[in-house]
Amino acid sequence: MLTKLLFLYILNLLEDNAKERKMKMYEVRDLIQAGYTFDQWCLEAVNQANDLVSEGKQVDLVEIAERVKNLPQFRPHEMREEPLPFHVNLDAEGEDVEFLERNKEAVVETMNKLMRLPTLEKGALMPDACPAGTICVGGVVAARNAIHPAFHSADICCSMALTEYDFDEPKRVLDAAMEVTHFGPTGRAVAEPMPQYLIDAIEGNRYTKPLMQHAKRDFATQGDGNHFLFVGRSANTGKVNVVTHHGSRSFGARLFKKGMQIAEKFAKNIAPKGMDKGYAWIPFETDEGRDYWEALQIIRLWTMENHYRIHDMIQEKLGLDVLDRFWNEHNFVFKRGDLFYHAKGATPGWTDTYERTLVPMNMSESVLVTRGTDVENGIGFLPHGAGRNMSRSEFNRRFPNPTLPEGIDVRSFSGVVDASELPEAYKNADEVKAQIKKYGLAEVVDEILPYGSIMAGENPNPPAWLLAKQAKKKAKNKE
């Protein structure tokens, strides 16, 4: 019996060895011998060929190589010699013409650099455009089958939301808002629970799952900087409205960081030589591209719920009825067909998707309720607000003693006003509104007349690293 088993075992070994001799397993050297130069795609081609061999299929290594090397994640690109034309919906008109002309020149120069990218097909500048990073605020570009994380920025899905209450006492609403909202770099002392569907969605995506603690910690909070909670009355109805402005907090910032890492990894194989790494993109037709796109949609839903939870807390505190509610996002990527529209500080005015949009000016001006016109010269977008006149440090240098606007209830969550967020820091509201009308970007259908607002304010106890950074900036400005 033992001899028979031993015989069968040896026979099986011989059969396995014979099969292995018949199966030609490929190596990268086979591609080199076929005339190819080694690159990252070679490993993928060899792996695909060997998978087919192991299934007993006939393999043409050269055919596989030609297909694989042209996949989006391996195909090298070249910069355009000349930038594609783009639309400029921006005039250098106003009190400080010289400054406005410099601003316009700067944003046009930024767009000219961008529009040489091989992925881009359309571009536009909004009336609120101002220089900031790799793509200016108020800039929109459309890429084919590519997501550029730097173009949506770290504040992914910064957005606006409005709720109208069946109520006509704005002070009581602002008082309640001051009690229930939360600004600043930290989360609430006791976190607000997230909806279960959001938890499930975050758990189901490989890029958002590791960020669950940040999503939970920052839920129902508003951050700092130019984020605000605005209370006013509808010019149409006279009812009290709350308008909030904020993004996805550390949840989105950390996804942005991951997106940049993915894009820079792809850039090693596909980016034009010498390209600024801030222009790197993730090919959508890859597993990484599809999963990152899904992660962006989760961030979008989280941010919408974040706005509405704060609005609901005001409603619950005062026992109010909601008459109206809507929201819209900027600092995001919007898909239309196979084009990905990257809007840094611009709002989609697609008439088939967005019935109304919100365009804030500054704390002493009305928030415009608009209906987008989807015009070609805006490639379907409109401004997200008035836009800053200048950087924070420049404003502090030029206006060392700004005053609070009269007749407006201005509050700071920290108790210390952030002077760089006062109205003088922003573009003239009338000029921006005139340019929106001139270029046909949107129709104003209502205005939320200002009563008061809450902003984060200055941190009364800034960390040491921030103090050092501020001191360095001041020293540089004095030079």
Side-chain angles (χ1 to χ4, degrees):
M1 181 68 177
L2 183 60
T3 304
K4 185 177 180 181
L5 290 174
L6 183 60
F7 172 75
L8 291 173
Y9 174 72
I10 294 171
L11 184 62
N12 285 334
L13 282 178
L14 291 172
E15 287 177 352
D16 289 342
N17 288 337
K19 287 179 182 177
E20 287 183 11
R21 284 195 300 272
K22 290 178 182 178
M23 291 170 58
K24 163 61 175 168
M25 303 303 285
Y26 291 99
E27 298 178 5
V28 171
R29 74 177 73 176
D30 296 312
L31 288 172
I32 305 301
Q33 290 172 0
Y36 293 100
T37 302
F38 176 76
D39 209 332
Q40 290 296 316
W41 64 265
C42 295
L43 301 173
E44 176 66 20
V46 167
N47 288 337
Q48 288 193 19
N50 287 335
D51 286 344
L52 293 172
V53 169
S54 65
E55 294 172 8
K57 296 179 180 178
Q58 293 292 323
V59 172
D60 185 331
L61 185 60
V62 171
E63 181 183 324
I64 293 173
E66 287 298 313
R67 178 175 55 78
V68 170
K69 77 174 187 175
N70 286 309
L71 289 174
Q73 61 266 45
F74 298 120
R75 186 172 61 249
H77 292 72
E78 302 258 341
M79 295 290 273
R80 291 186 173 94
E81 291 188 11
E82 297 293 332
L84 289 178
F86 56 91
H87 302 281
V88 180
N89 304 285
L90 170 65
D91 297 328
E93 297 176 356
E95 293 180 8
D96 193 343
V97 173
E98 185 180 345
F99 175 81
L100 293 171
E101 285 178 345
R102 289 201 307 272
N103 176 80
K104 183 175 179 178
E105 288 172 4
V107 295
V108 168
E109 181 182 357
T110 296
M111 287 293 288
N112 273 323
K113 292 177 181 177
L114 285 177
M115 297 308 293
R116 289 186 59 218
L117 283 168
T119 55
L120 301 188
E121 297 193 2
K122 296 180 181 180
L125 283 171
M126 298 292 113
D128 59 338
C130 57
T134 55
I135 181 173
C136 50
V137 171
V140 188
V141 292
R144 185 170 296 280
N145 291 322
I147 302 171
H148 294 257
F151 296 176
H152 60 54
S153 82
D155 194 11
I156 301 176
C157 205
C158 194
S159 42
M160 305 287 303
L162 174 149
T163 294
E164 181 170 275
Y165 303 107
D166 189 9
F167 200 56
D168 57 4
E169 298 182 46
K171 183 180 184 304
R172 287 187 62 194
V173 172
L174 191 62
D175 289 342
M178 192 72 181
E179 291 184 42
V180 302
T181 193
H182 181 92
F183 285 88
T186 61
R188 294 173 178 270
V190 178
E192 275 292 304
M194 288 194 303
Q196 186 60 46
Y197 88 91
L198 269 183
I199 294 173
D200 294 342
I202 293 168
E203 285 281 354
N205 180 274
R206 60 168 160 164
Y207 296 137
T208 57
K209 185 176 182 178
L211 307 178
M212 180 67 79
Q213 61 176 325
H214 300 282
K216 287 183 174 180
R217 187 199 73 170
D218 288 344
F219 189 65
T221 69
Q222 293 206 242
D224 50 20
N226 65 350
H227 298 159
F228 61 75
L229 188 151
F230 178 100
V231 174
R233 294 178 185 271
S234 162
N236 289 349
T237 68
K239 299 295 184 180
V240 175
N241 284 242
V242 165
V243 179
T244 47
H245 171 226
H246 59 258
S248 51
R249 309 283 279 108
S250 67
F251 183 31
R254 289 172 184 271
L255 178 67
F256 161 75
K257 184 177 180 180
K258 182 63 178 178
M260 287 302 301
Q261 290 171 350
I262 300 166
E264 288 166 15
K265 182 179 177 182
F266 278 114
K268 294 176 182 177
N269 295 319
I270 65 177
K273 291 180 180 178
M275 186 189 77
D276 185 321
K277 73 175 185 178
Y279 295 166
W281 69 88
I282 306 171
F284 176 65
E285 295 172 338
T286 62
D287 290 342
E288 293 90 342
R290 286 182 284 269
D291 289 349
Y292 189 71
W293 174 250
E294 180 185 74
L296 288 176
Q297 308 320 302
I298 294 169
I299 290 285
R300 179 182 183 276
L301 290 173
W302 183 94
T303 309
M304 180 184 69
E305 292 285 1
N306 199 57
H307 281 280
Y308 288 158
R309 181 62 198 129
I310 294 169
H311 295 207
D312 286 345
M313 293 168 80
I314 297 170
Q315 173 201 5
E316 291 161 7
K317 187 165 188 65
L318 296 176
L320 305 178
D321 292 327
V322 171
L323 298 178
D324 194 11
R325 173 171 284 183
F326 66 96
W327 89 305
N328 58 263
E329 61 275 59
H330 48 271
N331 288 17
F332 201 58
V333 186
F334 306 85
K335 190 173 186 294
R336 216 176 191 187
D338 57 0
L339 289 181
F340 291 81
Y341 289 77
H342 299 66
K344 174 72 180 294
T347 300
W350 300 341
T351 51
D352 58 347
T353 308
Y354 294 86
E355 181 185 349
R356 289 167 295 168
T357 51
L358 295 161
V359 184
M361 294 293 142
N362 62 60
M363 62 177 65
S364 66
E365 294 280 348
S366 299
V367 173
L368 306 182
V369 180
T370 66
R371 182 176 292 113
T373 52
D374 205 357
V375 291
E376 181 55 34
N377 57 282
I379 61 172
F381 285 75
L382 62 143
H384 83 306
R388 293 189 70 87
N389 253 333
M390 61 200 77
S391 68
R392 295 174 188 276
S393 57
E394 176 70 7
F395 176 80
N396 290 331
R397 185 183 68 79
R398 294 179 62 171
F399 298 90
N401 299 301
T403 56
L404 289 173
E406 295 182 2
I408 304 295
D409 189 346
V410 179
R411 307 187 190 186
S412 298
F413 194 78
S414 69
V416 182
V417 173
D418 179 356
S420 67
E421 287 301 327
L422 294 178
E424 293 91 337
Y426 287 85
K427 291 187 177 183
N428 182 281
D430 290 336
E431 291 167 8
V432 174
K433 286 188 279 188
Q435 291 179 44
I436 291 174
K437 183 177 181 180
K438 174 182 176 179
Y439 291 105
L441 301 173
E443 172 194 359
V444 178
V445 297
D446 193 6
E447 295 190 27
I448 310 305
L449 309 174
Y451 170 81
S453 62
I454 307 168
M455 299 193 78
E458 292 279 9
N459 186 346
N461 299 298
W465 67 266
L466 182 57
L467 291 172
K469 184 177 179 181
Q470 291 171 344
K472 188 176 179 180
K473 276 188 176 180
K474 285 182 181 179
K476 188 176 180 180
N477 289 335
K478 289 179 180 179
E479 293 176 358

